[in-house]
Amino acid sequence: QGDHIMKKLRIIICTPDMNRPVARKCIDQIKATDLSDAELVIVDNAYDRNFSHPAVMNRFLNQGDDLPVIFVDDDVVIDDKDWLSALLKTSEACAASIVGCVHTFGSGEVNHTGILAYKDATSELMREPLSSEKFVYVPGVSSAVVLIRDPRELSFDTMFKKYQHDIDICMQAWAQDKKVVCCTELKVVHIQAEYMSSHPGFRDILDQDSRYFQTKWGEYARQALYNIPELRDFAEMACQRNWERYYNQATRVSSEDPEKAAEMLREIIRECPYQWRAGSAYYHLYRIEKNRSHLKNCVRLHPYHMKARSLLRDA
């Protein structure tokens, strides 16, 4: 690693087990890039029931120096050999304090490009292409790959347990007249669903963290955020319904009240402007009604939906 005083930035990979295959691939890919200007730190995050993601990350924002910090989750695979340069050049080009990038699934389908804070301070990962520009100002970015240029001036709020700390630190930046951008030239693979599928209780933690974010930033999101010139293009979108939240509600009640869930899912299919979300709604409608045509409609609207494709293939 060398003496960090001679380095220009610090890369932090947090992992509960550096030997699990996904973490090993993440680490190996990063080591395969030019790290001559970087201090690489691999951190055992001591994952247990008291685990606090923002607390672990804050330790490395408070190192007593001005080195920019790049955080990388261990379920991210970065194939781009120039990824460090892309993040740093983007930060310099638009004087951004926080820089994220485009996340994809292994299939190549876009996972997310940023985070939208609605005017009611709920939030949603944005999956629609942003633009053809090299960078786009966005309300927030994911902490799974994020450059924080001003580690002395920003910090993660440890009142969050695991989620929303990334959109929170982006709100801090905008509130301090700093800028947050997505580097659209950099694309990484984010195997996001692994944690969610193996920890059924994640939704309770997400709900708790989301409520705190709403309490903390509700007035700012409603009154000030979209008056910022760089974010005005998102103002209309931020006034619309949070379809991700409504979709999650529908899937949650499906086992307790299938009739209500089916009604909500049909509303998503009729009114949601995002085809991939409507396609996913068809999949959950299939799980309730067992109508094979719902699977066909799912794949028609959401060609990357692997579960629906597999069920159609095996039928």
Side-chain angles (χ1 to χ4, degrees):
Q1 293 181 3
D3 186 346
H4 75 265
I5 295 175
M6 303 299 294
K7 303 296 184 177
K8 295 181 180 179
L9 71 151
R10 181 175 290 121
I11 303 169
I12 309 297
I13 304 175
C14 297
T15 176
D17 180 2
M18 66 179 290
N19 291 312
R20 66 179 184 153
V22 65
R24 193 70 258 162
K25 186 168 185 179
C26 169
I27 294 166
D28 289 346
Q29 291 289 83
I30 288 178
K31 284 185 173 181
T33 61
D34 181 2
L35 299 179
S36 56
D37 288 331
E39 177 188 48
L40 175 61
V41 182
I42 301 169
V43 183
D44 182 338
N45 65 17
Y47 186 86
D48 59 22
R49 63 185 180 87
N50 298 313
F51 171 71
S52 168
H53 199 178
V56 172
M57 298 172 81
N58 261 351
R59 284 170 46 202
F60 297 95
L61 285 182
N62 300 316
Q63 295 291 296
D65 55 40
D66 293 318
L67 281 186
V69 179
I70 298 177
F71 290 100
V72 181
D73 281 1
D74 73 343
D75 59 354
V76 169
V77 177
I78 304 175
D79 284 325
D80 190 334
K81 295 292 190 293
D82 295 321
W83 71 285
L84 289 177
S85 176
L87 292 175
L88 292 169
K89 285 181 179 178
T90 298
S91 176
E92 293 169 5
C94 51
S97 291
I98 299 179
V99 183
C101 62
V102 176
H103 295 239
T104 72
F105 294 103
S107 61
E109 178 194 15
V110 172
N111 180 319
H112 61 277
T113 53
I115 307 175
L116 178 70
Y118 286 86
K119 289 200 171 184
D120 65 357
T122 61
S123 63
E124 179 179 16
L125 293 174
M126 298 186 296
R127 289 182 61 174
E128 300 303 302
L130 292 173
S131 80
S132 58
E133 300 297 324
K134 292 183 178 180
F135 64 83
V136 179
Y137 295 105
V138 289
V141 294
S142 167
S143 65
V145 177
V146 64
L147 164 66
I148 299 179
R149 194 186 64 187
D150 308 310
R152 289 181 186 244
E153 299 175 27
L154 296 166
S155 64
F156 291 100
D157 185 340
T158 56
M159 289 296 291
F160 295 100
K161 187 169 180 62
K162 183 168 175 57
Y163 302 102
Q164 305 285 40
H165 57 287
D166 41 15
I167 181 68
D168 173 84
I169 201 171
C170 294
M171 293 298 100
Q172 293 177 46
W174 286 116
Q176 294 177 31
D177 295 323
K178 301 180 188 298
K179 294 177 174 60
V180 179
V181 301
C182 172
C183 173
T184 57
E185 286 189 314
L186 176 59
K187 295 179 174 62
V188 304
V189 176
H190 190 183
I191 312 171
Q192 188 180 29
E194 182 178 293
Y195 177 88
M196 297 177 180
S197 62
S198 60
H199 294 76
F202 87 93
R203 289 236 177 253
D204 293 333
I205 299 172
L206 175 59
D207 286 347
Q208 178 182 327
D209 285 344
S210 297
R211 286 193 296 270
Y212 175 55
F213 180 82
Q214 284 184 277
T215 300
K216 181 176 179 180
W217 291 106
E219 183 175 354
Y220 182 74
R222 187 169 57 254
Q223 301 289 346
L225 183 63
Y226 295 104
N227 290 327
I228 297 171
E230 291 87 350
L231 296 181
R232 284 179 183 157
D233 287 348
F234 293 100
E236 183 178 350
M237 190 186 305
C239 293
Q240 298 173 5
R241 169 181 267 176
N242 184 335
W243 286 105
E244 180 176 58
R245 191 181 192 200
Y246 192 66
Y247 170 84
N248 288 338
Q249 290 172 345
T251 58
R252 273 181 142 181
V253 302
S254 60
S255 58
E256 303 164 6
D257 191 342
E259 188 174 335
K260 180 181 178 182
E263 181 181 339
M264 295 172 72
L265 292 166
R266 291 184 194 282
E267 184 178 0
I268 294 168
I269 291 165
R270 286 195 310 271
E271 299 184 19
C272 180
Y274 310 123
Q275 282 196 348
W276 61 270
R277 177 76 70 196
S280 295
Y282 267 119
Y283 171 74
H284 286 280
L285 198 58
Y286 164 80
R287 295 185 65 183
I288 295 170
E289 299 179 350
K290 303 303 180 186
N291 185 331
R292 194 166 179 268
S293 67
H294 295 330
L295 289 178
K296 293 180 179 179
N297 283 322
C298 172
V299 172
R300 175 175 59 82
L301 295 175
H302 188 356
Y304 290 99
H305 200 293
M306 294 298 107
K307 289 183 179 178
R309 292 175 68 88
S310 175
L311 286 168
L312 278 173
R313 187 169 56 247
D314 295 341

